[in-house]
């Protein structure tokens, strides 16, 4: 009984870490995107780095051996499994989609694409590789998100899955 209480307390602590870290990542990115209209790509890049750190914290929590074990418990463990899968999708977006897009945006913002009144086709080609890679990761993340089961999880978790 004591072991079950300790395990439950640990899982509650980890759940709090995951929720806090993912909310921090979301808040930071939302704020940066909202401020992007002013043309400050650097702020968005800084927010992406902070979000990456937040998502890494969440990932460590959902990779905890006890969390993973809890995910195998029939019915009750579904929330743990779904949370882990959703965290992995968020990680794909924050670490795989945003960085190459931000790098391209920084390059465009700095005006490096134009040289002597002409478009630097080599740089444009290099930018397209990053965008293509980001698109592939985004497609994979979307497919992974759609593969996350919707049933038998709390409404708040189901809503987060959709986002």
């Amino acid at each position: 009984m004591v072991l079950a209480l300790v395990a439950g307390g640990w899982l509650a602590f980890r759940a709090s870490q995951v929720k806090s870290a993912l909310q921090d990542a979301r808040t930071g990115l939302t704020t940066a995107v909202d401020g992007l209209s002013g043309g400050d790509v650097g702020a968005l890049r800084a927010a992406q780095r902070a979000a990456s750190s937040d998502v890494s914290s969440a990932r460590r929590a959902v990779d905890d051996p006890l969390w993973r074990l809890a995910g195998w418990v029939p019915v009750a463990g579904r929330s743990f499994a779904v949370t882990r899968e959703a965290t992995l999708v968020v990680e794909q977006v924050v670490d795989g989609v945003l960085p190459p897009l931000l790098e391209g945006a920084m390059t465009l913002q700095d005006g490096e694409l134009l040289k002597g009144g002409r478009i630097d086709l080599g740089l444009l080609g290099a930018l397209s590789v990053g965008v293509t890679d980001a698109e592939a990761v985004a497609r994979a993340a979307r497919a992974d998100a759609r593969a996350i089961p919707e049933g038998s999880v709390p409404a708040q978790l189901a809503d987060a899955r959709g986002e």
Side-chain angles (χ1 to χ4, degrees):
M1 183 70 152
V2 171
L3 185 59
L5 286 173
V6 169
W10 181 251
L11 288 172
F13 169 70
R14 285 300 206 180
S16 174
Q17 284 182 319
V18 171
K19 182 178 180 182
S20 176
L22 293 179
Q23 284 179 336
D24 289 349
R26 180 182 183 186
T27 300
L29 287 173
T30 300
T31 301
V33 167
D34 290 346
L36 193 58
S37 61
D40 191 0
V41 178
L44 186 55
R45 184 180 222 180
Q48 182 276 327
R49 287 182 179 145
S52 180
S53 176
D54 292 331
V55 171
S56 291
S57 295
R59 172 72 186 262
R60 282 190 300 277
V62 299
D63 279 347
D64 182 281
L66 189 55
W67 186 285
R68 293 182 75 144
L69 181 64
W72 286 96
V73 174
V75 183
R78 192 166 192 94
S79 292
F80 294 100
V82 167
T83 299
R84 183 173 190 284
E85 292 171 28
T87 300
L88 298 178
V89 169
V90 171
E91 183 180 49
Q92 284 177 297
V93 172
V94 169
D95 291 342
V97 175
L98 293 179
L101 296 180
L102 291 172
E103 186 65 36
M106 294 288 285
T107 299
L108 292 175
Q109 185 182 37
D110 292 342
E112 296 175 25
L113 191 57
L114 292 175
K115 286 189 177 177
R118 294 179 181 240
I119 295 175
D120 182 347
L121 295 178
L123 181 58
L124 187 61
L127 290 175
S128 72
V129 170
V131 170
T132 301
D133 292 347
E135 179 189 21
V137 174
R139 286 181 190 274
R142 175 177 277 171
D144 291 347
R146 287 182 176 160
I148 297 172
E150 291 184 49
S152 303
V153 295
Q156 183 180 12
L157 189 52
D159 292 345
R161 175 205 168 270
E163 289 178 32

